[in-house]
Amino acid sequence: MSRLSLLGSSLLRHRVVLLGRRLASSEPPHQNEITAGEQAIGLVVFFTSCLIPAAYILSKLEYYKQV
């Protein structure tokens, strides 16, 4: 067998082993849960921080074409 085929088979074998294992966390679980309102506020802030600059650029697209 060539070295490349040995490398490929070993990578696939390790991937299966790694996907089969459960990831463990060293920290205890959080005691307070995030409410639906807090989740909604977080999503709104996240998406507006991404979409407002994109909307600004799209609104100025004609200007950018002229420059």
Side-chain angles (χ1 to χ4, degrees):
M1 282 186 153
S2 69
R3 288 187 176 192
L4 185 60
S5 64
L6 287 174
L7 177 65
S9 65
S10 68
L11 287 175
L12 290 175
R13 186 172 352 124
H14 288 293
R15 181 191 297 172
V16 171
V17 171
L18 290 176
L19 290 177
R21 274 196 318 204
R22 183 175 178 201
L23 297 175
S25 176
S26 60
E27 296 181 10
H30 295 287
Q31 297 298 323
N32 53 348
E33 295 291 327
I34 298 175
T35 64
E38 291 172 338
Q39 290 178 5
I41 290 171
L43 283 172
V44 167
V45 168
F46 179 75
F47 284 115
T48 54
S49 67
C50 294
L51 293 177
I52 287 177
Y56 176 78
I57 290 172
L58 288 174
S59 69
K60 304 292 183 185
L61 197 57
E62 293 299 323
Y63 172 74
Y64 293 141
K65 287 180 182 178
Q66 292 173 1
V67 174

